[in-house]
Each structure stands twice: as C-alpha cells, then as structure tokens.
Amino acid sequence: MRALAHVLALLGPLAVLGGSWALLDSLHDADEAQQARNAGHVVNARVLELDTAQAMDRLLATRRPKVVVLGPSYANTDVKTDLLAARLGISRDEIVLLSVPNSVGAHWYAVLKYRLFEAGHRPALVVVVSGLQSMLLTTPLTEASFVNLEVQLPEGGDPVVDRLVGQEGALWWGRLREQRGLARNLVFDALRGVTASTLFGVDRRQARAALDAVFDDALVDMDLYQGTTNIAGGELEPQRYYSPDMLPAPDDGFVPVITELVREHGGRTVWVRPPMSPFIPQELDDVVLPGVQERTIALVDERGGDFLDMRALPMSSAMFRNEDHMNEEGSRRFSDALAVALQDLDALHPEADPERAGPLAVTSEGPVPRIGAGERAVFHVGGWPEVRGTFGVDVATSGPARVTVAGVPVGLAFDPVLPGYAWSAALDAPGEGPFDVVVEAGDAPVELLGLALGRRRGRTFLVGDVSVFEGHAVHTLGQSRIEGGVLVDTSVRPTYGREPVTPPLAARDTIDLPSDVAAYDTSRWAFLSDEALKGETTFGSRCSPLRITEDGRMLGPANVPCLEVMRQGHGRSCHTLDRIFFTAPDGTDPATNGRIYRLALDPARTCDDAAWIYPIDTLTLTLPREGVASLEQGGRWLRVGARYISQRKTELVVTLVVDGTTVFEETVDGRDFKTKPMVREIDPPVPPTAEVVEVHLESKNHVFYLLNDVSLSERPPQ
C-alpha cells in the first residue's frame, strides 16, 4: 500500500498536468473553428466545395503555366499576378497562383511534386513568397494546416514529408504558450460578449459580430501603436507559437529540397521575403537568428535558385491592410518591384547564373576588327550551357555584313539609331557543344565595332563593350531599381528657385462629413488625383501634390487610401477624382473645431524617382560629375521626359548650362510631351571635362508637369 501511495502521489499530479494540457490544447476560438471547418478547401483565399488538391488539378488542367507563385496568405495578398505577367512579358494564362493559408515548406513541396510535376507540368519559374520563418518551418502548426497538407499527399504519404515533418519539442512549448493566451482571450471575449448582450438586449452572436467590427485589425492605427509606452513595465506577451530559436535550421528544412526538386524538373526557384508594415510589432515581425538567412541563401545558390530579400523596399503603413498583409496599393508596388528584380535575374531562364559558369571560352581567327571585302572573322565558342542564361547576338559594324551562328544565318534587325550598322536578335541556344559565330563582309570592307552574346546578366562582349551599342549616358531622374532584393534610388534631387504657388481658392467651403472627416470639392483638380496619376512612377505610388494645412502647418500623412482616412484619421488625407478628404491630427471635426484649413502644394515636389514642376515654377538638375566624365565622345543628346497634366498650349523653357555658359535654350510646348520626350542634339557636344553641367526648366504657365527623366548621352536615346 505504501508503494501504491508513492506511485499515486507521482501519477496523480502527472495526470492533472496531462489532463490540463489536453484540455488546454483542445481549446479553439471562433477563428480556429472556422479554419477547421474550411480545412482542405481554401485556395487563394476562396472556400471551395472541392478539396484543394482537386481544385488545383482542375485549374492546372486548363493551363500550361510558365510561372507558378506559391506561398501562404502573403502570396495571395501581396502578388498581383496579372501585373506580374504583364511586366514579365507573358500572358495571364501562363502564370498560376497557388496560395494555401498558413502553409509551410511541406505544403509547397507536396503541391509541386503531386499537383505539378507528376501531372506533367514543367514551369520555368517557381516563385515562393513567404516570410523566412515560414520557409524554415517544416511542421504545420494547426489542425487545419495539417489537413491542408494531408489533402495534397497520396495514400500512404510521402517519404520526404514523413522524414522532415515532425513536431519539434520546442514547438510543443510554443503551442502551450499560444494556447495559454487563447484561453485568456476566450475568457475575456466571453465576458465582453455577455456584457454587451445583457446591456443591449442582443444575442451573443450579434454581440460578437458587432464587437469584432469595432475591434477589427483594419481600424488599428499602427503609427500610434508604435509610439505607446508599456505602462506595466514588463515584456509584451509573445503572439506566435514559436520564437526564432525554436525554428529548424535551414539545412534541416524544405528550402534546399524544393529548390533541388524544381531544378530536377527543368525549372528555377526564386524565394522571396516580402516587406512587412513599417510599424509591425517586433514579436510579430519575420525575425530569425543571426546567420540563418545567409545560410539559406547559400543553400539556394548551391542548387541554382535565387533568394530575394525585399524587406528594404520602401513602403508605408498605408500600403498594408494589417501588420503583414498588403492592400491593393501595396501589392501593386510590391509586384512592380518584384517584376523588376525577376527580370534582372533573367528568372524565366532556368538555372541562369553566368557568374557560376565562369569566363566564356572563345578563340578567333581572321581579320579583326577590320574585315576586308569578301573576308570573314570567325569566333570559336566553347559552348553555351544553360547556366549562362538566355542566348542572343548583338553585332555592330561600319557597313552591311552577314552573320551566322552555328552555321545558321541570323536575321538581325538593323537599328537606325546607332552609327554604322547594329543588329540584335534573341535566339535559341545553339546547345552545350562548341559552335562558331561568323561575321562576313560583302563587296566592301567593314569594321567590326562590337560583338556580344547573351542577354541581361549573361551578356558577354567578344568585341567592344556596352557603349558600342548604347553609348554612355548620364541620368538624373527615374533611377530606381532593385539590386539584391533592395530598392536602390540613385536619382538626382532637383533644387527649386521659388516657393510653390498657392492653389486657386485655397480657402474654400469645407464639406462636413460623418466620423470627423471633412472634404474640399476638387473636381477641377481631377487630373492631379491619385487615381488619375496611378502608374506614372516606377513603382506606382500615389502622387497627388495637393495637401491640406491646419493653421499654416502641413498635415500628414497624405496620399493614403481613403478607407484609412475614414477609419484612422489623425491628419491623414486622400485625393479622389472629385474631392480631397482630410482629418484633424487630434481627432476633432475639421468642419467645427474652429481651425483654419487651406489647400496647399507639397513643398517636396517629388514622388518616387520623379519630380513635379508646379505652375510658374523653376527647377534645376545638376548632372553628376562622374557621369559627365564617362561621356568619352561628349554629351551630344539631351533628353527631357515628362507627363504633361493639361491640354492647352504652354511654354516650358529648357536650358542647358555648362560651366556657367548657356549652350542650349529652347521653349517647348508642353503638349509635345503627350506623345514623346523632348530629344535635342547638342552641337558642339558637352565635353567630358566639364565641371558643372546643369539643366534648368522654367514653367511660364499655370500648369503641372511630372518630370521622369533628364539625361545627356553620346547616342540618340532609344
């Protein structure tokens, strides 16, 4: 009996703890219950009658995708596939989005293996859009997520999934912590619901719906959240199952497995880590331990894939519907930037990595660069393996010539913009083995000025360099691009000689609206609205220059979605086709708080990498000194590109000043910008030794221009 008492004394507490854990683990809130009901039937945020595997099979049966976008809900909210397809030059039917909520590597592996590859689909590019934490996770963390995985697997499972998927011990503790928070929330939700239903005489479901609407995440002002003080003085409660130290190592997860799987089937994988809201709480951010991303990138690179960390893409909280999911405006900006990055990677070409291929093996025979009449120059190329990327040929000669690649005559298109004769053609790669490129003169001798093979990053110059085909140029505006997943803007910022003019009727009748929102009628300014200017900048930001001042102080943030103005207020404004809506910084009603509100123009006068010229405005752009020095043949061509925002005849004075001397001045009609940029030849050209080269623009009229490029080049700009 004494021994039994000792056993019971030991087993009793264990039974209590085990029962408590079982009870705690079985708790579900309304959101989890909804997920459980829909488990296995949600694709791209749509609840379907078919299970997800059947739905994907049916969708893919109607397509032959060249690009597949995978991921959790980020892939669905952050990527606009129609826009991405247009930027990549493929049809909408050649890109497929397959987004499963709360999915991790196991889901993406199963979808690729069983929905795509075993069905005979061979996409050239697989883009996985997800936080790095989800990329590293191997195990679904909810019952619904487990169901979503099981639906994708055949009977008997999959050996790779069986090997990699298993609840790590650390995640059990994370799960317990999450359930503890869930239990607490259930208690408070119940108290909240009982109180509301008792006071207002509604049933609990109505009370819950109303309270959920009031406390919706979309109504939370993340700017204010970031600025709060923790009055309790303690650490914030973790809001995820896990912390970064609980995550599996990159080598132990699906990232290398998926990258290798796609390569085995002739494709290429690009892993994309998207931006989060600038005001996301740290405990919800996509944080990993030091060195984890670097190891992940190395694993991807070793298998011919690419990793894009795009968290540095400048985005405002106005571009997010909550802490980590983008809204319509944010997804357009992100998709534009993603397309630029994918084009730079030549991502539609599997395994393109010219750096890994090393120098191109080439020998030549025959006269180079001068080829006599009837003679030919031959370049023996050791081969063009897939890793070098897209194949093509560029040729520049001083006269007509005949070109063959691997014995096949090439139909090259003459480019009249360049001096002499220049041709360019995109071709199928001649194969892994050696081949010859032959340039043959006709009845007259020619000089071979340039010869290049390949496209984009894989371009290799056998004769000459890029300046032979494009010349040197120095740009000022429009210089945003993605490098290594990071947005780099090297645009030159202009200086202005005058303060912005005051808009006509800056003081006007305020339209009083509900919810402490006011508006001005700006129907005569529709051409400056965010809707009218959508897509005019590199990444499609909202560009209206109209602002609101309160007692002479500029309000902000401006150019945010109107829904955010209505819900969050605090100085926000938006400009639609007929009105500009605005709010007071302190939440009072602008129509009745006694303060003076006026229309004004943004003094910064910039939007992305473009610049405004306001009515009766002067602007100066100073060309970078090192850029001017690169113009070895002199700056002969001046280009000014702008969006003209009116219809009537106007006068814009364009002046080029070199070391204090005016070398060019012309007054142009703003309407000319509606069809093409202004391109003028400068004779004599600007010497590369010039110290200070400035372009001055003066608007003589009450009109607006959105300037997107001012450049000086050796060749006529294309």
Side-chain angles (χ1 to χ4, degrees), residues 524-553:
R524 294 183 59 186
W525 299 83
F527 58 91
L528 288 179
S529 67
D530 290 324
E531 285 86 348
L533 294 168
K534 188 177 294 183
E536 291 301 321
T537 59
T538 303
F539 296 116
S541 295
R542 296 168 179 264
C543 276
S544 170
L546 276 186
R547 299 289 185 268
I548 299 293
T549 63
E550 180 188 79
D551 292 338
R553 183 173 63 89

Side-chain angles (χ1 to χ4, degrees), residues 473-476 492-495 619-631 634-639 654-664 682 684-697 710-713:
V474 53
H475 296 271
T476 54
V492 174
R493 290 301 157 194
T495 58
L619 172 153
T620 299
L621 283 161
T622 303
L623 278 65
R625 175 68 188 85
E626 61 275 13
V628 175
S630 72
L631 304 176
R636 185 174 291 275
W637 297 91
L638 174 66
R639 182 186 190 273
V654 180
T655 307
L656 178 63
V657 180
V658 179
D659 291 335
T661 301
T662 299
V663 300
F664 171 86
I682 307 300
V686 177
T689 55
E691 292 291 333
V692 181
V693 179
E694 297 175 329
V695 178
H696 302 276
L697 294 100
V710 171
S711 60
L712 195 63
S713 59

Side-chain angles (χ1 to χ4, degrees), residues 401-639:
R402 181 173 181 267
V403 180
T404 61
V405 175
V408 179
V410 179
L412 296 159
F414 168 61
D415 188 346
V417 171
L418 302 180
Y421 286 75
W423 301 270
S424 180
L427 307 171
D428 292 333
E432 296 274 344
F435 62 95
D436 291 343
V437 178
V438 180
V439 182
E440 187 175 0
D443 296 334
V446 297
E447 184 174 359
L448 182 59
L449 304 173
L451 175 62
L453 303 181
R455 288 289 180 269
R456 296 191 177 93
R457 292 194 308 164
R459 198 179 193 192
T460 300
F461 291 90
L462 308 186
V463 177
D465 57 24
V466 67
S467 65
V468 172
F469 299 95
E470 301 172 10
H472 296 102
V474 53
H475 296 271
T476 54
L477 301 171
Q479 295 302 291
S480 290
R481 63 187 183 277
I482 299 292
E483 289 184 357
V486 177
L487 178 68
V488 178
D489 184 3
T490 57
S491 299
V492 174
R493 290 301 157 194
T495 58
Y496 295 88
R498 305 170 183 169
E499 291 297 317
V501 298
T502 301
L505 300 176
R508 55 184 63 196
D509 294 335
T510 301
I511 303 171
D512 191 7
L513 299 172
S515 303
D516 298 325
V517 177
Y520 282 142
D521 180 359
T522 54
S523 53
R524 294 183 59 186
W525 299 83
F527 58 91
L528 288 179
S529 67
D530 290 324
E531 285 86 348
L533 294 168
K534 188 177 294 183
E536 291 301 321
T537 59
T538 303
F539 296 116
S541 295
R542 296 168 179 264
C543 276
S544 170
L546 276 186
R547 299 289 185 268
I548 299 293
T549 63
E550 180 188 79
D551 292 338
R553 183 173 63 89
M554 196 76 65
L555 296 183
N559 303 115
V560 304
C562 287
L563 185 61
E564 184 175 326
V565 174
M566 309 300 176
R567 288 181 169 180
Q568 299 186 20
H570 296 289
R572 289 170 169 79
S573 64
C574 65
H575 187 188
T576 68
L577 290 171
D578 58 352
R579 289 183 178 183
I580 184 167
F581 296 88
F582 61 95
T583 54
D586 60 357
T588 59
D589 189 342
T592 59
N593 63 14
R595 297 167 200 154
I596 299 174
Y597 294 91
R598 295 285 187 269
L599 278 178
L601 291 172
D602 178 18
R605 291 179 253 203
T606 58
C607 184
D608 278 350
D609 51 13
W612 282 104
I613 307 177
Y614 289 161
I616 317 298
D617 206 359
T618 61
L619 172 153
T620 299
L621 283 161
T622 303
L623 278 65
R625 175 68 188 85
E626 61 275 13
V628 175
S630 72
L631 304 176
E632 299 172 356
Q633 301 173 25
R636 185 174 291 275
W637 297 91
L638 174 66
R639 182 186 190 273

